[in-house]
Amino acid sequence: MSRRRSHPQTSPASVSACPCGLSAAYGDCCGRLHAGQTSAPTAESLMRSRFSAFAVQDETYLLRTWHPGTRPRRIDFDAGLRWLGLEILDTTGGSAFHTTGTVTFRARWTHGGRPGELHERSRFVRHEGAWVYVEALVTQ
């Protein structure tokens, strides 16, 4: 079982590539959201920032961006799991003009040297004005 962490295990340098897969540096991309300097303007940007938060094991950000009705008490990160990449496959709603949205994605990982991937369709809603993750609708 992994130890509980309330701060990122590995904070990428602000000039490092962002784990979310966009071309911006971490400090100009998801790092700003993780630090609370801004909030995600769309469901997709929240999905990307949450992927990055899993990659750097930022429990505080993950819990803050999880809907209170489905939020776990804590997140136990698996020390042997390494998130490698994110591919957004589809989005519905989730813009500045919507109150709900879904993001379908594929996330690649390795665990103990073995590759794998997570394919999921996640549901997001606005809660108190901010986008939050609610649940996975489809997993494979």
Side-chain angles (χ1 to χ4, degrees):
M1 184 182 276
S2 300
R3 294 180 299 173
R4 183 175 171 215
R5 299 188 189 280
S6 60
H7 298 288
Q9 174 190 13
T10 53
S11 297
S14 63
V15 295
S16 298
C18 192
C20 80
L22 295 178
S23 61
Y26 174 75
D28 294 329
C29 194
C30 294
R32 295 175 55 232
L33 282 79
H34 295 173
Q37 297 170 346
T38 189
S39 58
T42 65
E44 180 180 336
S45 63
L46 181 63
M47 177 63 242
R48 287 182 179 280
S49 68
R50 286 177 56 82
F51 172 83
S52 292
F54 273 105
V56 301
Q57 298 187 0
D58 188 341
E59 180 183 44
T60 301
Y61 181 77
L62 290 166
L63 293 175
R64 184 173 74 232
T65 59
W66 210 310
H67 191 279
T70 58
R71 179 184 323 152
R73 293 183 66 208
R74 68 176 198 220
I75 298 171
D76 290 321
F77 295 103
D78 186 331
L81 185 67
R82 183 168 177 245
W83 293 100
L84 302 175
L86 175 68
E87 178 184 5
I88 302 297
L89 303 172
D90 188 38
T91 62
T92 59
S95 78
F97 303 105
H98 295 102
T99 57
T100 63
T102 62
V103 179
T104 305
F105 67 92
R106 182 177 297 121
R108 293 180 298 105
W109 51 267
T110 61
H111 187 271
R114 292 190 168 143
E117 69 178 39
L118 169 67
H119 183 223
E120 182 176 301
R121 182 172 174 227
S122 295
R123 186 167 72 94
F124 298 88
V125 299
R126 284 197 184 267
H127 178 72
E128 297 179 354
W131 284 109
V132 293
Y133 168 78
V134 178
E135 63 187 343
L137 299 174
V138 176
T139 59
Q140 295 180 344

